[in-house]
Amino acid sequence: MSSFGLGLFVICIVGIFLDASHAQLQLNFYAKSCPKAEKIIQDYVHKHIPKAPSLAAALLRLHFHDCFVRGCDGSVLLNFTSSTKNQTEKVAIPNQTLRGFSFIDGVKKIVEAECPGVVSCADIVTLVARDSVVVTGGPFWNVPTGRRDGKISNASEALGNIPPPTSNLSSLQTSFANKGLDLKDLVLLSGAHTIGVSHCSSFSTRLYNFTGVLGTQDPSLDSEYASNLKGKKCKSIDDNTTIVEMDPGSFRTFDLSYYKLLLKRRGLFQSDAALTTSATTKSFINQLVKGSLEEFNEEFAKAMEKMGRIEVKTGSAGEIRKQCAFVNK
């Protein structure tokens, strides 16, 4: 083979590998294999989420926590099994307050009845997150499908990959960069905190023990807001049950008020407050606040589609689980 021919051959092979690595995610992946799948999922979400609107934020969070560990592969759904003795992502500290597993199981059950062994749990999580946000009045984004389910789930990996609410900007930037996401994506995806609630335990250190000395408070937190939290919500550092709105006053509405609160030093988590500590991220926040809700929705949608592509398994990788909580036998 001539050197030109060999070069062309190498380019073709590299092209094939690049194409494969860019994963065969595509819109309407199930158009032939399970044409009703996306409509079934959408109908289920539209039926159930209005009855339990707080679940929308929980399902969005479930998607985020899934994608940040081994990519968007449904590994967060796997249960501990006595045969492997493996502690799965579910039991890791960042995931102990996750909700929505039974909701995903409910969706999987009816999709399996329609098309057994065709639609992955990873795709269901991704589609459910999008459809749930839409039901709350939030933006629609494209969800290319074709993800396959991972077979591995380790608690230690969840602890190492999911950024905690105590993160500073540097550690957030690193966590997101490791997943191919930049500072703009960080600011936009944090906007998911415009809906949903949190437990006091995720931020009580800011109120009661900020420097490691009991009685110290985070000076970056607006004092009036802190007093309100301590007086009416999280009355002690040991409160692990009380829930607090992440976007007080509009926690069921997908809007810009989360960002407006950040600029008033009223972000609930240290990781929220961290977004105002750099000129770059603060500039993104100011642009969003000055812009329209439509502009935010459009940008958020792009960031979500990007997140949904993190380290996906396609082709012959992974499997299509019959039950989301267990690998196939």
Side-chain angles (χ1 to χ4, degrees):
M1 187 183 284
S2 70
S3 60
F4 174 76
L6 182 64
L8 199 60
F9 174 73
V10 169
I11 288 168
C12 287
I13 292 296
V14 169
I16 288 165
F17 275 108
L18 280 174
D19 209 41
S21 69
H22 261 292
Q24 322 294 345
L25 289 189
Q26 60 189 69
L27 290 172
N28 302 313
F29 179 84
Y30 300 108
K32 291 180 181 174
S33 59
C34 192
K36 294 181 183 174
E38 293 196 24
K39 182 70 166 65
I40 288 170
I41 293 167
Q42 185 184 61
D43 287 348
Y44 189 93
V45 170
H46 277 255
K47 180 182 177 183
H48 293 282
I49 292 296
K51 298 173 189 171
S54 67
L55 251 184
L59 291 161
L60 183 57
R61 184 173 177 234
L62 187 66
H63 177 35
F64 176 85
H65 281 226
D66 182 34
C67 290
F68 263 62
V69 187
R70 293 187 169 266
C72 312
D73 69 344
S75 56
V76 73
L77 306 173
L78 288 171
N79 281 353
F80 167 84
T81 55
S82 53
S83 58
T84 63
K85 301 287 191 292
N86 182 47
Q87 295 294 334
T88 60
E89 292 169 35
K90 266 187 182 179
V91 303
I93 289 170
N95 292 335
Q96 287 174 4
T97 53
L98 285 181
R99 295 189 300 132
F101 296 108
S102 60
F103 189 94
I104 298 297
D105 289 339
V107 176
K108 177 67 171 172
K109 189 175 180 180
I110 54 172
V111 172
E112 281 292 298
E114 174 74 18
C115 311
V118 173
V119 181
S120 69
C121 298
D123 275 341
I124 288 173
V125 169
T126 312
L127 288 162
V128 161
R130 190 270 312 274
D131 293 343
S132 297
V133 168
V134 171
V135 170
T136 69
F140 173 93
W141 61 91
N142 288 323
V143 176
T145 42
R147 293 165 191 78
R148 287 169 65 85
D149 298 321
K151 301 178 185 180
I152 299 168
S153 182
N154 295 316
S156 59
E157 292 181 351
L159 195 58
N161 283 278
I162 296 167
T166 53
S167 299
N168 60 26
L169 189 70
S170 175
S171 61
L172 284 170
Q173 184 172 5
T174 301
S175 294
F176 276 66
N178 287 342
K179 305 302 170 188
L181 301 169
D182 59 26
L183 284 174
K184 187 176 183 182
D185 297 319
L186 166 62
V187 171
L188 288 165
L189 293 171
S190 296
H193 291 172
T194 184
I195 55 172
V197 295
S198 170
H199 288 85
C200 292
S201 51
S202 295
F203 57 88
S204 57
T205 299
R206 297 187 79 192
L207 301 174
Y208 294 105
N209 192 26
F210 188 65
T211 63
V213 176
L214 209 58
T216 53
Q217 185 174 297
D218 183 352
S220 74
L221 188 62
D222 175 72
S223 56
E224 191 180 324
Y225 182 43
S227 296
N228 184 277
L229 287 170
K230 288 199 281 193
K232 297 181 179 177
K233 301 285 185 180
C234 310
K235 296 180 180 179
S236 87
I237 195 168
D238 302 317
D239 185 338
N240 294 316
T241 53
T242 303
I243 55 172
V244 177
E245 299 167 7
M246 291 191 286
D247 184 0
S250 72
F251 76 108
R252 288 197 176 102
T253 312
F254 217 90
D255 57 24
L256 289 165
S257 70
Y258 163 77
Y259 295 111
K260 293 173 183 175
L261 289 171
L262 287 188
L263 296 175
K264 294 176 180 175
R265 300 190 299 122
R266 293 189 172 198
L268 192 59
F269 309 125
Q270 280 171 254
S271 57
D272 292 323
L275 301 180
T276 65
T277 61
S278 99
T280 306
T281 48
K282 195 165 186 178
S283 169
F284 288 140
I285 294 167
N286 278 311
Q287 284 171 35
L288 290 167
V289 167
K290 288 172 186 170
S292 66
L293 181 57
E294 289 73 25
E295 287 169 325
F296 166 56
N297 285 348
E298 195 177 305
E299 292 296 315
F300 181 81
K302 287 179 196 168
M304 284 302 302
E305 187 175 339
K306 189 173 173 183
M307 188 186 87
R309 292 179 178 274
I310 295 173
E311 297 165 26
V312 292
K313 294 166 180 64
T314 60
S316 58
E319 64 181 9
I320 305 297
R321 277 185 231 143
K322 293 183 177 71
Q323 289 181 279
C324 291
F326 304 96
V327 295
N328 296 339
K329 291 179 181 175

